[in-house]
Each structure stands twice: as C-alpha cells, then as structure tokens.
Amino acid sequence: MTPDVLLRAENLTRHIAGKTLLDDITLDLVAGARLGLVGPTGSGKSLLLRSLALLEPVDSGNLLWQRAAVTNDQATIYRSQVIYVHQRAAAFEGTVETILRQPFQLKSHRDRRFDRDWIVDQLATVARDAAFLDQHHEQLSGGESQLVALLRAIQLSPRVLLLDEPTSALDRQSARHVESIVMRWYGDAPDRRAYIWVSHDPSQADRVCDSLITMHSGQIQSRQTTT
C-alpha cells in the first residue's frame, strides 16, 4: 500500500538581492517518512524548512497539505499539524509548566487540554521527574531549554515535525534525550506521522533518518536511502 503524501512542495523558489536561495525545490513527505536534510552551511536547508512551515515567503511554487493547496485561510490549521522546531529554543519566560501550557491559550488549540500526566511520562524517558515542571526558565541549561521546546511542539500531536538542527548546541547525552523524545512521538503513530531533520552529524543522521536529501546552493543535489 502506497503511503499517503502528507506534504508536497512544488517548484519552490526564493530570491533575495539577486541571489537564488531556493532553486525550484520539489519534494514529497509521505506518512512514515524519517527524512534527513543535509548539506553545507548556507545551502538553503533552514530556509526550506521555514518555507515549509509558512514562516518564510517564497517567490514561486506551491505547497500542498494532503494533496490540497494550502491557502491563507487554512494556514492556522496547517501550522497546528506541521510544526517547526528551531535549533535554538525560543526565549520563553516562567516555569516549565507555564511554558508548556501557553499553546493551549491559542484559538487553534482551545479545544484541547494540557495533559500534565503525559508530560511527566515523557520526562521520565529522559531521566527527569515532575519537579522539572517547577523549574524557572532561567534555571534551564541549553539542552533542557531545547527539550522544553520540543515537548511544547509534540504535545500538540502534529502530523509533521520540521526539526532544524535541534541538537546542534547540545552535549551527547542531551542530544540523545532529544532524539528519544522525537522517536517516541514518531513511534506512537508511525503510519500517520513524518519528520524532516536537518543535521550536520552523519552518525545522528544514520540513527534518526531512513532517507537523506543533500542540498547545495539552494538546490536538491541528491537523494538516497540510508536503511
């Protein structure tokens, strides 16, 4: 049975100051995909992810969600299903629990409730207990801040995660913790979810991805299967 195409980018192009940053990018992200995005710094990886998340405009091309074009009216729903996780955690304030509760104040998530027990269960997989929820943002290490950012995203049960080097500034143990959280989210519904993971670490790409796209100068240079 052919997997469903969750997200399709068709001929995405972006120019700034006469320079082509995305050059006719086309790709499909199917349900179950664990796609790695690699390439040198400045090759367009982050810009592509941000464009897929509707955080950056494109000059031409189309974005489809489950085979239907994403319109301005559908942007809010789309962003609830396709979530971008930056390589540096955003500067949220308050306790960890306050930070995690904030998305549920948004109109697009008001029909959902913060599940503290679920969060505590997730924390247990990375050797932290419920007391972690009481820590203030100023007490968090870089790795802990990234962990909170990731939990903030996956608690919303998105279909797609766009992971922009989420472990680039972390030590090995913290990086593995972030990986384990993503793998658990994916493993809860592997036939319905997918992710794109930007990484400069070949060993990490081997662990977390089953296919790779290499970018260079805003173009897709090659595609390969890693498993």
Side-chain angles (χ1 to χ4, degrees):
M1 183 175 177
T2 304
D4 292 335
V5 176
L6 297 178
L7 176 60
R8 177 173 174 79
E10 294 181 338
N11 310 112
L12 299 187
T13 302
R14 176 78 185 277
H15 305 281
I16 295 181
K19 182 178 180 181
T20 300
L21 302 182
L22 294 179
D23 189 359
D24 200 30
I25 298 291
T26 292
L27 64 85
D28 286 336
L29 186 68
V30 302
R34 302 187 307 147
L35 178 62
L37 191 59
V38 299
T41 299
S43 59
K45 303 183 300 298
S46 294
L47 179 59
L48 175 57
L49 284 200
R50 290 180 59 81
S51 299
L52 295 178
L54 299 181
L55 298 174
E56 293 280 353
V58 294
D59 296 315
S60 61
N62 299 299
L63 193 60
L64 289 79
W65 174 247
Q66 295 182 305
R67 303 184 184 278
V70 179
T71 65
N72 290 336
D73 292 342
Q74 298 167 327
T76 299
I77 295 174
Y78 175 81
R79 287 193 180 105
S80 73
Q81 295 295 312
V82 180
I83 298 182
Y84 173 81
V85 180
H86 197 280
Q87 59 184 296
R88 296 286 189 275
F92 298 112
E93 296 186 352
T95 66
V96 171
E97 183 164 343
T98 297
I99 294 167
L100 293 176
R101 285 181 177 274
Q102 286 172 349
F104 298 99
Q105 298 173 14
L106 300 175
K107 183 178 180 180
S108 56
H109 301 302
R110 284 178 183 169
D111 60 338
R112 309 188 60 179
R113 296 178 58 190
F114 174 71
D115 189 339
R116 193 175 193 276
D117 290 339
W118 182 89
I119 290 290
V120 171
D121 183 54
Q122 296 292 315
L123 290 173
T125 69
V126 293
R128 285 170 175 80
D129 59 23
F132 181 70
L133 295 175
D134 297 324
Q135 289 193 40
H136 198 267
H137 75 279
E138 293 177 344
Q139 300 173 290
L140 302 178
S141 67
E144 289 172 333
S145 294
Q146 193 61 54
L147 175 62
V148 173
L150 184 59
L151 288 172
R152 182 182 160 99
I154 67 171
Q155 69 179 342
L156 301 173
S157 298
R159 298 285 302 277
V160 172
L161 283 179
L162 304 174
L163 302 157
D164 192 357
E165 296 191 77
T167 65
S168 61
L170 309 184
D171 59 53
R172 180 176 297 181
Q173 182 180 30
S174 296
R176 289 298 185 95
H177 283 170
V178 167
E179 290 175 15
S180 69
I181 290 289
V182 174
M183 292 303 106
R184 187 172 184 183
W185 161 82
Y186 173 84
D188 284 344
D191 58 337
R192 288 178 48 79
R193 295 175 175 172
Y195 60 77
I196 303 177
W197 192 312
V198 173
S199 179
H200 282 291
D201 181 350
S203 62
Q204 180 181 68
D206 286 341
R207 287 193 302 273
V208 303
C209 302
D210 49 33
S211 60
L212 291 178
I213 286 178
T214 301
M215 289 190 66
H216 191 276
S217 299
Q219 296 180 323
I220 292 179
Q221 191 175 58
S222 65
R223 306 171 192 251
Q224 66 184 92
T225 301
T226 61
T227 57

